Amino acid sequence: MAQPPYLALIAERFGAAVEDRGFGHGVQAFAAPPELIVDLCRFLKEHPDLRFNFLSDIAGVDTHPATPRYEAVYHLYSLPNKWRVRIKCRLGDPPHIPSVTGVWRTANWHEREAWDMYGIVFDGHPDLRRIYMWEGFEGFPQRKDFPLRGYKDELNPFGAEGPPPTKPDLATRNIP
Amino acid sequence: MGGLSGGMRDSVLFTTADSVISWGRRSALWPETFGIACCAIEMISAGCARYDLDRFGVVFRPSPRQSDVMIIAGTVTRKFAPIVRRLYDQMPEPRWTIAMGTCAISGGVYNTYAVVQGSETFVPVDVHVPGCPPRPEALMHGFLLLQEKIKRSRALAGTPLERAATRVAG
């Protein structure tokens, strides 16, 4: 199988800023600085030889106690070429990264998930609300300093000592 | 309250009325049509032709206003618990609850921040059906246990009729 052209094209366009992290399990991995993510994603999506037109997932990672602490991982797929690419961005604390909702509309919910679970702020996101936990929930449950069993209240007598969680509000509002 | 009042309460009229009412209640247990997780698949299976809950008089109803039983079939998350509670509150009395499956009983393997650790924490539960998920036979056994419970409970206890009988006797 011929070498897919994305390595050479990315090196030509971005130089040493985007680092090659090797190929494994059918996925080519890159590491990129967060300020380049929108340019890199747009390049991968719109280049006629690449066409990474499907964003499979955006994952958050908490590498506590390492620094920089957070990481956003983008999984891309090229439907016409059947290639997979993974882009990793290390983020500081508090974590910030530009939103890629302008590149793929599906990024909207993926970024809301990463915000809900890890507290990663996606700058420029049109509607950055929680997606799994209810409005008014406090904390980011997938962070390593959040107790696995949550905090104790009457619904969860085995939780950790701490401020009891808020309750979901059942009032129906005009949701955009 | 004298010795006579007990005799009055247990008179032919009251025991006969009790048995007729509880027969009516236990023979037409109408559960709410909702399932939360994989236990619901077994619940649907129990309601379909092979296991056929209809023969016990268990007919799923589309509205809590028409229902007597709530089957909590699945993992109740903290986000969903107030909605389940609202469905319980919307049922007219007398009403019963079956907690189906390990998750509904105790939270099961989901001992986490997001899952309610047992339905008993937010609704009164009459019958627990263990299993992960319980087979349809287990749910049928749960319904038979519930019928047995209704059979042994006094349908007229605490009603104006019983209070009147106590006054007459006392």
Side-chain angles (χ1 to χ4, degrees), chain B residues 64-116:
Chain B
R65 301 291 188 204
Q66 302 171 348
S67 307
D68 313 295
V69 189
M70 180 167 76
I71 307 171
I72 305 173
T75 317
V76 186
T77 59
R78 303 183 71 99
K79 199 174 176 179
F80 199 59
I83 298 160
V84 178
R85 176 70 212 194
R86 179 179 283 183
L87 284 169
Y88 178 79
D89 290 340
Q90 283 174 340
M91 280 197 296
E93 287 181 352
R95 56 194 172 191
W96 298 276
T97 307
I98 296 176
M100 181 181 179
T102 313
C103 295
I105 293 170
S106 68
V109 295
Y110 304 108
N111 192 352
T112 70
Y113 60 91
V115 175
V116 174

Short mmCIF file of all heavy atoms in Angstrom, two decimals, chain B residues 64-116:
data_model
loop_
_atom_site.label_atom_id
_atom_site.label_comp_id
_atom_site.label_asym_id
_atom_site.label_seq_id
_atom_site.Cartn_x
_atom_site.Cartn_y
_atom_site.Cartn_z
N PRO B 64 -49.92 7.20 33.16
CA PRO B 64 -49.86 6.90 34.60
C PRO B 64 -51.21 7.05 35.28
O PRO B 64 -51.46 6.41 36.31
CB PRO B 64 -48.84 7.89 35.13
CG PRO B 64 -48.66 8.91 34.08
CD PRO B 64 -49.02 8.29 32.79
N ARG B 65 -52.12 7.86 34.72
CA ARG B 65 -53.43 8.05 35.33
C ARG B 65 -54.27 6.77 35.29
O ARG B 65 -55.21 6.61 36.05
CB ARG B 65 -54.20 9.15 34.62
CG ARG B 65 -53.51 10.49 34.62
CD ARG B 65 -53.47 11.09 35.98
NE ARG B 65 -52.97 12.45 35.94
CZ ARG B 65 -52.40 13.07 36.95
NH1 ARG B 65 -52.23 12.43 38.09
NH2 ARG B 65 -52.00 14.31 36.85
N GLN B 66 -53.95 5.87 34.34
CA GLN B 66 -54.71 4.63 34.22
C GLN B 66 -53.98 3.46 34.87
O GLN B 66 -54.44 2.34 34.76
CB GLN B 66 -54.93 4.31 32.74
CG GLN B 66 -55.66 5.39 31.99
CD GLN B 66 -55.68 5.15 30.50
OE1 GLN B 66 -54.97 4.29 30.00
NE2 GLN B 66 -56.50 5.89 29.80
N SER B 67 -52.84 3.72 35.50
CA SER B 67 -51.97 2.62 35.94
C SER B 67 -52.07 2.38 37.44
O SER B 67 -52.45 3.27 38.21
CB SER B 67 -50.52 2.94 35.58
OG SER B 67 -50.42 3.26 34.23
N ASP B 68 -51.72 1.15 37.83
CA ASP B 68 -51.63 0.80 39.25
C ASP B 68 -50.21 0.49 39.67
O ASP B 68 -49.89 0.57 40.84
CB ASP B 68 -52.47 -0.45 39.55
CG ASP B 68 -53.84 -0.38 38.95
OD1 ASP B 68 -54.59 0.49 39.39
OD2 ASP B 68 -54.14 -1.17 38.05
N VAL B 69 -49.39 0.06 38.72
CA VAL B 69 -48.05 -0.42 39.04
C VAL B 69 -47.04 0.34 38.22
O VAL B 69 -47.27 0.64 37.04
CB VAL B 69 -47.90 -1.93 38.71
CG1 VAL B 69 -46.59 -2.45 39.25
CG2 VAL B 69 -49.03 -2.72 39.28
N MET B 70 -45.91 0.67 38.85
CA MET B 70 -44.79 1.22 38.11
C MET B 70 -43.67 0.18 38.17
O MET B 70 -43.29 -0.25 39.26
CB MET B 70 -44.34 2.53 38.73
CG MET B 70 -43.17 3.15 38.02
SD MET B 70 -42.88 4.85 38.50
CE MET B 70 -42.13 4.60 40.09
N ILE B 71 -43.19 -0.25 37.00
CA ILE B 71 -42.03 -1.14 36.94
C ILE B 71 -40.82 -0.27 36.65
O ILE B 71 -40.73 0.31 35.57
CB ILE B 71 -42.19 -2.22 35.85
CG1 ILE B 71 -43.50 -2.97 36.02
CG2 ILE B 71 -41.03 -3.19 35.91
CD1 ILE B 71 -43.80 -3.88 34.86
N ILE B 72 -39.92 -0.17 37.60
CA ILE B 72 -38.68 0.57 37.35
C ILE B 72 -37.71 -0.41 36.72
O ILE B 72 -37.06 -1.19 37.42
CB ILE B 72 -38.12 1.18 38.64
CG1 ILE B 72 -39.18 2.05 39.31
CG2 ILE B 72 -36.89 2.00 38.35
CD1 ILE B 72 -38.78 2.56 40.65
N ALA B 73 -37.66 -0.42 35.39
CA ALA B 73 -36.91 -1.43 34.66
C ALA B 73 -35.64 -0.80 34.12
O ALA B 73 -35.58 -0.41 32.97
CB ALA B 73 -37.75 -2.02 33.54
N GLY B 74 -34.62 -0.69 34.96
CA GLY B 74 -33.34 -0.20 34.46
C GLY B 74 -32.62 0.72 35.41
O GLY B 74 -33.08 0.99 36.52
N THR B 75 -31.49 1.22 34.93
CA THR B 75 -30.63 2.10 35.71
C THR B 75 -31.27 3.47 35.84
O THR B 75 -31.57 4.10 34.83
CB THR B 75 -29.28 2.26 34.99
OG1 THR B 75 -28.88 1.00 34.51
CG2 THR B 75 -28.25 2.84 35.91
N VAL B 76 -31.48 3.93 37.05
CA VAL B 76 -32.06 5.26 37.25
C VAL B 76 -30.91 6.23 37.49
O VAL B 76 -30.21 6.13 38.49
CB VAL B 76 -33.02 5.28 38.45
CG1 VAL B 76 -33.70 6.62 38.54
CG2 VAL B 76 -34.04 4.18 38.33
N THR B 77 -30.70 7.15 36.56
CA THR B 77 -29.66 8.15 36.77
C THR B 77 -30.21 9.28 37.64
O THR B 77 -31.43 9.43 37.79
CB THR B 77 -29.19 8.74 35.43
OG1 THR B 77 -30.32 9.31 34.78
CG2 THR B 77 -28.61 7.66 34.56
N ARG B 78 -29.32 10.06 38.18
CA ARG B 78 -29.74 11.18 39.03
C ARG B 78 -30.54 12.18 38.23
O ARG B 78 -31.43 12.84 38.76
CB ARG B 78 -28.53 11.86 39.63
CG ARG B 78 -27.64 10.94 40.42
CD ARG B 78 -26.52 11.74 41.02
NE ARG B 78 -27.04 12.58 42.07
CZ ARG B 78 -26.97 12.28 43.35
NH1 ARG B 78 -26.38 11.19 43.74
NH2 ARG B 78 -27.46 13.09 44.26
N LYS B 79 -30.21 12.28 36.92
CA LYS B 79 -30.93 13.22 36.07
C LYS B 79 -32.36 12.74 35.84
O LYS B 79 -33.26 13.54 35.63
CB LYS B 79 -30.18 13.35 34.74
CG LYS B 79 -30.51 14.57 33.93
CD LYS B 79 -29.58 14.61 32.73
CE LYS B 79 -29.91 15.76 31.80
NZ LYS B 79 -28.99 15.80 30.67
N PHE B 80 -32.57 11.42 35.85
CA PHE B 80 -33.87 10.87 35.50
C PHE B 80 -34.74 10.60 36.72
O PHE B 80 -35.96 10.50 36.59
CB PHE B 80 -33.66 9.57 34.71
CG PHE B 80 -34.87 9.15 33.92
CD1 PHE B 80 -35.40 9.98 32.96
CD2 PHE B 80 -35.46 7.93 34.14
CE1 PHE B 80 -36.51 9.61 32.23
CE2 PHE B 80 -36.57 7.55 33.41
CZ PHE B 80 -37.10 8.38 32.46
N ALA B 81 -34.14 10.50 37.91
CA ALA B 81 -34.90 10.14 39.11
C ALA B 81 -36.09 11.06 39.37
O ALA B 81 -37.18 10.57 39.70
CB ALA B 81 -33.97 10.10 40.31
N PRO B 82 -35.99 12.39 39.22
CA PRO B 82 -37.17 13.23 39.47
C PRO B 82 -38.30 12.95 38.50
O PRO B 82 -39.48 13.11 38.86
CB PRO B 82 -36.65 14.66 39.28
CG PRO B 82 -35.20 14.58 39.16
CD PRO B 82 -34.79 13.18 38.91
N ILE B 83 -37.98 12.50 37.28
CA ILE B 83 -39.03 12.20 36.31
C ILE B 83 -39.74 10.91 36.70
O ILE B 83 -40.97 10.81 36.61
CB ILE B 83 -38.40 12.11 34.91
CG1 ILE B 83 -37.79 13.48 34.56
CG2 ILE B 83 -39.41 11.71 33.87
CD1 ILE B 83 -36.77 13.44 33.49
N VAL B 84 -38.97 9.91 37.18
CA VAL B 84 -39.60 8.68 37.66
C VAL B 84 -40.49 8.98 38.85
O VAL B 84 -41.60 8.47 38.97
CB VAL B 84 -38.51 7.64 38.02
CG1 VAL B 84 -39.14 6.38 38.56
CG2 VAL B 84 -37.67 7.30 36.80
N ARG B 85 -40.02 9.84 39.73
CA ARG B 85 -40.82 10.22 40.90
C ARG B 85 -42.12 10.91 40.46
O ARG B 85 -43.18 10.69 41.03
CB ARG B 85 -39.99 11.16 41.79
CG ARG B 85 -40.72 11.70 42.99
CD ARG B 85 -40.98 10.63 44.01
NE ARG B 85 -42.22 10.90 44.71
CZ ARG B 85 -42.57 10.30 45.84
NH1 ARG B 85 -41.79 9.41 46.40
NH2 ARG B 85 -43.71 10.57 46.41
N ARG B 86 -42.02 11.73 39.43
CA ARG B 86 -43.22 12.41 38.94
C ARG B 86 -44.21 11.39 38.37
O ARG B 86 -45.42 11.50 38.61
CB ARG B 86 -42.83 13.43 37.87
CG ARG B 86 -44.03 14.15 37.29
CD ARG B 86 -43.63 15.15 36.26
NE ARG B 86 -43.07 16.36 36.86
CZ ARG B 86 -42.69 17.43 36.16
NH1 ARG B 86 -42.77 17.41 34.85
NH2 ARG B 86 -42.22 18.49 36.76
N LEU B 87 -43.71 10.38 37.66
CA LEU B 87 -44.59 9.34 37.13
C LEU B 87 -45.27 8.59 38.27
O LEU B 87 -46.44 8.22 38.17
CB LEU B 87 -43.80 8.36 36.27
CG LEU B 87 -43.43 8.86 34.88
CD1 LEU B 87 -42.43 7.92 34.23
CD2 LEU B 87 -44.66 8.96 34.01
N TYR B 88 -44.52 8.36 39.36
CA TYR B 88 -45.13 7.70 40.52
C TYR B 88 -46.22 8.57 41.11
O TYR B 88 -47.32 8.11 41.42
CB TYR B 88 -44.06 7.39 41.56
CG TYR B 88 -44.60 6.75 42.80
CD1 TYR B 88 -44.92 5.39 42.81
CD2 TYR B 88 -44.83 7.49 43.95
CE1 TYR B 88 -45.44 4.80 43.94
CE2 TYR B 88 -45.34 6.91 45.08
CZ TYR B 88 -45.65 5.56 45.07
OH TYR B 88 -46.17 4.98 46.19
N ASP B 89 -45.92 9.86 41.27
CA ASP B 89 -46.90 10.77 41.87
C ASP B 89 -48.16 10.91 41.02
O ASP B 89 -49.23 11.21 41.53
CB ASP B 89 -46.27 12.16 42.08
CG ASP B 89 -45.23 12.14 43.17
OD1 ASP B 89 -45.27 11.21 43.99
OD2 ASP B 89 -44.38 13.04 43.19
N GLN B 90 -48.03 10.71 39.71
CA GLN B 90 -49.19 10.87 38.83
C GLN B 90 -50.12 9.66 38.86
O GLN B 90 -51.24 9.75 38.36
CB GLN B 90 -48.71 11.11 37.39
CG GLN B 90 -48.22 12.53 37.17
CD GLN B 90 -47.62 12.72 35.81
OE1 GLN B 90 -47.24 11.75 35.15
NE2 GLN B 90 -47.51 13.95 35.38
N MET B 91 -49.66 8.53 39.43
CA MET B 91 -50.55 7.37 39.49
C MET B 91 -51.58 7.57 40.59
O MET B 91 -51.23 8.02 41.68
CB MET B 91 -49.74 6.10 39.82
CG MET B 91 -49.03 5.52 38.63
SD MET B 91 -48.52 3.83 38.95
CE MET B 91 -47.36 4.05 40.26
N PRO B 92 -52.85 7.23 40.33
CA PRO B 92 -53.84 7.29 41.42
C PRO B 92 -53.64 6.13 42.39
O PRO B 92 -53.20 5.05 42.00
CB PRO B 92 -55.18 7.18 40.68
CG PRO B 92 -54.87 6.49 39.42
CD PRO B 92 -53.45 6.81 39.06
N GLU B 93 -53.99 6.36 43.64
CA GLU B 93 -53.88 5.29 44.63
C GLU B 93 -55.06 4.33 44.48
O GLU B 93 -56.13 4.75 44.06
CB GLU B 93 -53.87 5.88 46.04
CG GLU B 93 -52.55 6.55 46.33
CD GLU B 93 -52.51 7.13 47.74
OE1 GLU B 93 -53.56 7.15 48.41
OE2 GLU B 93 -51.44 7.58 48.13
N PRO B 94 -54.95 3.07 44.83
CA PRO B 94 -53.76 2.40 45.35
C PRO B 94 -52.74 2.13 44.26
O PRO B 94 -53.13 1.80 43.14
CB PRO B 94 -54.32 1.09 45.89
CG PRO B 94 -55.51 0.82 45.06
CD PRO B 94 -56.09 2.15 44.72
N ARG B 95 -51.48 2.27 44.60
CA ARG B 95 -50.42 2.10 43.60
C ARG B 95 -49.28 1.30 44.20
O ARG B 95 -49.06 1.34 45.41
CB ARG B 95 -49.94 3.45 43.11
CG ARG B 95 -49.45 4.33 44.23
CD ARG B 95 -49.29 5.76 43.77
NE ARG B 95 -49.00 6.62 44.91
CZ ARG B 95 -49.02 7.94 44.86
NH1 ARG B 95 -49.32 8.55 43.75
NH2 ARG B 95 -48.74 8.64 45.92
N TRP B 96 -48.59 0.59 43.32
CA TRP B 96 -47.47 -0.25 43.77
C TRP B 96 -46.28 -0.05 42.84
O TRP B 96 -46.43 0.44 41.72
CB TRP B 96 -47.89 -1.72 43.76
CG TRP B 96 -49.03 -2.01 44.69
CD1 TRP B 96 -48.93 -2.26 46.02
CD2 TRP B 96 -50.42 -2.05 44.38
NE1 TRP B 96 -50.18 -2.46 46.56
CE2 TRP B 96 -51.11 -2.34 45.58
CE3 TRP B 96 -51.15 -1.87 43.22
CZ2 TRP B 96 -52.49 -2.45 45.64
CZ3 TRP B 96 -52.52 -1.98 43.28
CH2 TRP B 96 -53.19 -2.26 44.48
N THR B 97 -45.12 -0.45 43.34
CA THR B 97 -43.90 -0.27 42.56
C THR B 97 -43.11 -1.57 42.56
O THR B 97 -42.97 -2.22 43.59
CB THR B 97 -43.04 0.85 43.17
OG1 THR B 97 -43.83 2.01 43.31
CG2 THR B 97 -41.86 1.16 42.28
N ILE B 98 -42.61 -1.94 41.40
CA ILE B 98 -41.71 -3.08 41.28
C ILE B 98 -40.36 -2.54 40.83
O ILE B 98 -40.28 -1.86 39.80
CB ILE B 98 -42.23 -4.11 40.26
CG1 ILE B 98 -43.55 -4.72 40.74
CG2 ILE B 98 -41.20 -5.21 40.03
CD1 ILE B 98 -44.17 -5.67 39.74
N ALA B 99 -39.31 -2.81 41.61
CA ALA B 99 -37.95 -2.46 41.18
C ALA B 99 -37.39 -3.68 40.47
O ALA B 99 -37.19 -4.73 41.07
CB ALA B 99 -37.09 -2.08 42.37
N MET B 100 -37.17 -3.53 39.15
CA MET B 100 -36.75 -4.68 38.34
C MET B 100 -35.27 -4.55 38.02
O MET B 100 -34.84 -3.57 37.44
CB MET B 100 -37.57 -4.69 37.05
CG MET B 100 -37.24 -5.85 36.15
SD MET B 100 -38.21 -5.80 34.65
CE MET B 100 -37.59 -7.24 33.83
N GLY B 101 -34.50 -5.54 38.43
CA GLY B 101 -33.09 -5.57 38.08
C GLY B 101 -32.20 -4.96 39.16
O GLY B 101 -32.64 -4.16 39.97
N THR B 102 -30.94 -5.37 39.11
CA THR B 102 -29.98 -4.95 40.12
C THR B 102 -29.80 -3.44 40.17
O THR B 102 -29.66 -2.86 41.25
CB THR B 102 -28.63 -5.62 39.81
OG1 THR B 102 -28.88 -7.00 39.54
CG2 THR B 102 -27.70 -5.51 40.97
N CYS B 103 -29.82 -2.80 39.00
CA CYS B 103 -29.60 -1.34 38.99
C CYS B 103 -30.71 -0.62 39.73
O CYS B 103 -30.47 0.30 40.51
CB CYS B 103 -29.54 -0.83 37.57
SG CYS B 103 -28.16 -1.46 36.65
N ALA B 104 -31.96 -1.03 39.46
CA ALA B 104 -33.09 -0.36 40.11
C ALA B 104 -33.11 -0.67 41.61
O ALA B 104 -33.60 0.13 42.40
CB ALA B 104 -34.39 -0.77 39.46
N ILE B 105 -32.59 -1.84 42.00
CA ILE B 105 -32.61 -2.21 43.41
C ILE B 105 -31.53 -1.47 44.19
O ILE B 105 -31.78 -0.91 45.26
CB ILE B 105 -32.44 -3.74 43.55
CG1 ILE B 105 -33.65 -4.46 42.98
CG2 ILE B 105 -32.23 -4.12 45.00
CD1 ILE B 105 -33.47 -5.95 42.88
N SER B 106 -30.30 -1.45 43.64
CA SER B 106 -29.19 -0.92 44.43
C SER B 106 -28.22 -0.05 43.65
O SER B 106 -27.21 0.36 44.19
CB SER B 106 -28.39 -2.10 45.01
OG SER B 106 -27.75 -2.78 43.95
N GLY B 107 -28.49 0.22 42.40
CA GLY B 107 -27.50 0.90 41.58
C GLY B 107 -26.60 -0.07 40.84
O GLY B 107 -25.99 0.31 39.85
N GLY B 108 -26.52 -1.30 41.32
CA GLY B 108 -25.78 -2.33 40.61
C GLY B 108 -24.31 -2.00 40.48
O GLY B 108 -23.69 -1.49 41.40
N VAL B 109 -23.78 -2.31 39.29
CA VAL B 109 -22.35 -2.04 39.08
C VAL B 109 -22.09 -0.55 38.96
O VAL B 109 -20.94 -0.13 39.04
CB VAL B 109 -21.84 -2.76 37.82
CG1 VAL B 109 -21.91 -4.25 37.99
CG2 VAL B 109 -22.59 -2.33 36.59
N TYR B 110 -23.13 0.24 38.76
CA TYR B 110 -22.92 1.67 38.53
C TYR B 110 -22.85 2.42 39.85
O TYR B 110 -23.74 3.19 40.20
CB TYR B 110 -24.02 2.25 37.65
CG TYR B 110 -24.12 1.51 36.33
CD1 TYR B 110 -25.17 0.68 36.07
CD2 TYR B 110 -23.13 1.66 35.39
CE1 TYR B 110 -25.25 -0.01 34.87
CE2 TYR B 110 -23.20 0.97 34.19
CZ TYR B 110 -24.26 0.14 33.94
OH TYR B 110 -24.34 -0.54 32.77
N ASN B 111 -21.81 2.16 40.59
CA ASN B 111 -21.62 2.85 41.87
C ASN B 111 -20.85 4.13 41.59
O ASN B 111 -19.68 4.27 41.93
CB ASN B 111 -20.85 1.93 42.82
CG ASN B 111 -20.88 2.46 44.23
OD1 ASN B 111 -21.32 3.58 44.47
ND2 ASN B 111 -20.38 1.68 45.15
N THR B 112 -21.53 5.07 40.91
CA THR B 112 -20.85 6.27 40.45
C THR B 112 -21.63 7.52 40.80
O THR B 112 -22.74 7.45 41.36
CB THR B 112 -20.68 6.27 38.92
OG1 THR B 112 -21.96 6.46 38.32
CG2 THR B 112 -20.09 4.98 38.43
N TYR B 113 -21.06 8.67 40.43
CA TYR B 113 -21.65 9.97 40.70
C TYR B 113 -22.97 10.16 39.97
O TYR B 113 -23.75 11.02 40.34
CB TYR B 113 -20.68 11.08 40.27
CG TYR B 113 -20.34 11.03 38.80
CD1 TYR B 113 -21.08 11.73 37.88
CD2 TYR B 113 -19.29 10.25 38.34
CE1 TYR B 113 -20.79 11.65 36.53
CE2 TYR B 113 -18.99 10.17 37.01
CZ TYR B 113 -19.73 10.87 36.11
OH TYR B 113 -19.45 10.80 34.78
N ALA B 114 -23.23 9.41 38.89
CA ALA B 114 -24.35 9.73 38.01
C ALA B 114 -25.58 8.88 38.29
O ALA B 114 -26.64 9.17 37.76
CB ALA B 114 -23.94 9.54 36.55
N VAL B 115 -25.47 7.82 39.12
CA VAL B 115 -26.54 6.84 39.23
C VAL B 115 -27.09 6.81 40.65
O VAL B 115 -26.33 6.84 41.62
CB VAL B 115 -26.02 5.44 38.81
CG1 VAL B 115 -27.07 4.39 39.02
CG2 VAL B 115 -25.58 5.46 37.37
N VAL B 116 -28.43 6.76 40.75
CA VAL B 116 -29.09 6.67 42.05
C VAL B 116 -28.83 5.28 42.63
O VAL B 116 -29.02 4.27 41.95
CB VAL B 116 -30.60 6.91 41.87
CG1 VAL B 116 -31.33 6.68 43.17
CG2 VAL B 116 -30.85 8.30 41.36
#
